[in-house]
Structure formats: structure tokens, C-alpha cells
Amino acid sequence: MNNVHEDLTLTWTIGGFDLHFSFSVIFMTTIAALIVAIFSIVGARKLAMRPTGLQNFIEWVMDFSRYIITSNMAWEKGGKFIVLAYTLLFYIFVANMLGIPFELATETDHYVLWNSPTSDPVLTLTMAAFVIILTHIYGFRMRGAKEYFADYFRPSPILLPFKLIEEVSNFLTLGLRLFGNIFAKELVTVMIVTLAFAGTVGFVLAWIPLAPWLAFSIFLGALQAFIFAMLSMVYMAHKVESH
Amino acid sequence: MDTMEFIADIQWGNALYQLLIFSLLLWVVSRWALKPLLGVMKKREQQVNDNLDNAEKNRVEAEEYLEQQREELKQAREETQAMIDNATKMSEQQGKEIIDNAKEEAERLKESAVADINREKEQALESVRDQVASLSVAIATKVIEKELDENEQEKLIDSYLKEVGNE
């Protein structure tokens, strides 16, 4: 079990600092990004006033992102974040789904080749950091320095330490929630599949827990993608809108 | 494991790559998918709004026309009714007039007939009276002529009677 997330790692040392690139994460994020990009671009290739097929689907995702934004802030302010919301939602959903059909690992060393990239904490925390930093940038830009810093002392200066802790905890919870869910999902899936190879009886019976678990995984992946996008917009709204 | 070691142990390369690819994805999706899509969606929204506005306008117009037509129909009906009423009244009046005229004419004719009759009667009487008078005068003359004797008188009366009988 410890081997689930051992990777083929490539290390690149710059100025005495090691940069680790692990093959599976890079491979899987690239695939997820490519899927999102291809779906979006193909869907938007032949734009029609009466949408059909893929365009319909893309527009539906778009409307959903718009719903996520408008349930947090005014559209005049939040409209510019639709690309962010859309990409977060779609990308994390695809990333979550990737690990569901199968997981590839090398036989001898259990190097993972194919899994959900979101089951890697570094990746999810990177996404979370990206979002949190963006909220600060936009909060600063859209409301000005005075308002931005004044927010740390509202409604009372006593709250300053809590506000600072909140920023850190937002970052950690946003990233680790996604990681925890997907990692646990993969772990349980791997356990059930391992059970299937324990013997003939296990091979026959393993489908009984596996099928509902995979169905639940789809639900979980979709839900986590929604939650991540929703929370990103909640934090964004906190920074961008005056209270 | 001290803090530095922990930090060094994080796969920064992955993080960097992830950041890069996600930013790239954001840009690509925005540039080639969402911007044109948003444009189309906005255009469609505009079109739907326009269509709805137009439909509303057309509906109002149609209602106006309908109201106008209804008004005109009502007016036409009223006019027809008035015309029919007028015609009836006029015909009644004319009929009455004709009857009145006829009655008057009849009355007049009757009166003139009566007058004629009276006049004729008068004339007839007049002529009779004249004749009687002349007859009486003639009788008187005869009487006076023949009053000399009794025989003569008798003869005279006879002759008169004869005369009367012959007449």
C-alpha cells in the first residue's frame, strides 16, 4: 500500500535546490489539461446560435460556472472570473475522473503510471495556492490597497491574527480536502482491486463492492470539483466584494 | 526531519509544472474557447431579448388592431341599424302620407260630387219652378181668356186636361 504513490521521479538540481518532477503527475496533469483544452476548443470551434452537441455541453458547463459565480458575488464583479471557474471546475472534474477506470503501475516497483493527478497533495495544494494568491491579487487590484488592508482589521483589530490564520487555513483546507477525498478514493479502489487478485473467490466477489464504489467515485469526483470551484469563488468574493 | 528538509522534500518541480500547465490551460481555454463562446452566448441572449421585445410589441400592436377592428365593426353595425331604423320610419311616414292623401282626395271627390248633385238638384228645381210659373201664368192667361161663360170654361178645362193628358 505504501507504494501507491511512488513515482518515476526526475530530479533537476538548480543552484543546490532539487526540483523533483515525477512522471505520473506531469503525465496525468498534461493529459487532463489536454482533455479540457480539446473539449473546450472543439466545442467552441463551430459556434452556432442554435447550439448542438459539444457546444451545448460546453455552454452547460459555462452556465454552471456562471451559477457558481453569481451565487457568491454580483455578476458585474465576478464576470471576469468565469474563465477561472470554468477551468477549475472542468479540469478538476477531468482529473478526478481519470483515475476511475483503471490505475496503471509498474509491476515490480509499483511505480504509478496512471491515476487521478488530484490524488497528489502537491498538485492540489498548488491549485489551492494559485487560487488563494489570485484572490489576494484581485482583492488588491479591484478594491485598492486601503480597502484591502483595512479588511484585516474589520470589524475589530483584535481579529487580525485570526484573519491571517484564516488565509493559511483557507489554502490548506482547499487543497487538502480535494487531495484527501481523491486519495482516499484511489486507496479504497486499489484495496478492492487487490482483493480481487487474492484468489478465485475474491475475484468473483470483488465486483460486489467495486461497482457501487466506482459509481460513488464518479459522484465524489464531480462533487469535489464543484466544491473546489465553489470555494474558490467564495474566497474570491470575500476579497473582491466590500462587506 | 527538520523544516528545511521537509521543504526540500516537497516536489517543487511538480508544483511548478502544475502551475505552468494550469496557467497555460487558462490562457488557451480563454483565448480559443470561452471568449468566442461568451460572445455567441451574449449575442444569443441579445437576440432572444430582441425577439421577446418584438413579440411583445407585435402582440400589443395586434391587440390594438383587434380593438380598432372591433370598434369599427361596432360602428358599422350601429350605422346599419340607424339606416334600417331611418328607412322604416321613412316608409311608415310615406305610407301614412299616401293614405292621408288618398283619404283627403276621396273626401274632396265626395264633397265635390255632393256639391254637383246639389247644384244639379237646384238647377232642376229651378227649371221646374220656372216651368210651373210659366205654366201657371199660361193657365192663368187661359183662365182669364175663357172665363166668360160656363161652357167655355168647361171646354177650356177639358182642353187643358186634354193637353195635360197628351203631354
Side-chain angles (χ1 to χ4, degrees), chain A residues 17 19-22 25-26 29-30 33 40-41 44 47-49 51 55 58-59 62-63 66 83 86-88 91 122-123 126-127 130, chain B residues 7-19 21-23 25-26 28-30 32-34 36-38 40-41 43-45 47:
Chain A
F17 192 80
L19 281 178
H20 304 288
F21 295 92
S22 59
V25 170
I26 286 175
T29 52
T30 311
S40 304
I41 291 170
L47 290 172
M49 289 302 267
Q55 191 188 341
I58 300 295
E59 286 195 9
M62 195 97 129
D63 270 336
R66 189 189 307 221
V83 177
Y86 172 93
T87 315
L88 278 176
Y91 176 78
V122 172
L123 196 145
T126 308
M127 303 272 288
F130 182 69
Chain B
I7 288 175
D9 213 33
I10 294 173
Q11 292 166 313
W12 290 106
N14 287 353
L16 210 65
Y17 182 77
Q18 165 66 15
L19 209 60
I21 201 147
F22 191 73
S23 308
L25 180 66
L26 270 178
V28 166
V29 163
S30 162
W32 277 291
L34 295 196
L37 199 64
L38 269 177
V40 164
M41 281 169 99
K43 218 164 101 189
R44 184 186 308 133
E45 203 174 298
Q47 194 177 342

Side-chain angles (χ1 to χ4, degrees), chain A residues 30-65:
Chain A
T30 311
I31 284 182
L34 274 180
I35 289 175
V36 173
I38 288 170
F39 264 83
S40 304
I41 291 170
V42 170
R45 202 169 43 129
K46 280 189 229 148
L47 290 172
M49 289 302 267
R50 292 165 192 216
T52 48
L54 204 53
Q55 191 188 341
N56 248 336
F57 172 70
I58 300 295
E59 286 195 9
W60 175 74
V61 179
M62 195 97 129
D63 270 336
F64 195 67
S65 320

Side-chain angles (χ1 to χ4, degrees), chain A residues 89 93 96-97 217-227:
Chain A
L89 187 70
F93 176 75
N96 290 349
M97 290 302 121
S217 300
I218 294 173
F219 167 70
L220 192 106
L223 187 69
Q224 287 306 319
F226 168 68
I227 288 175

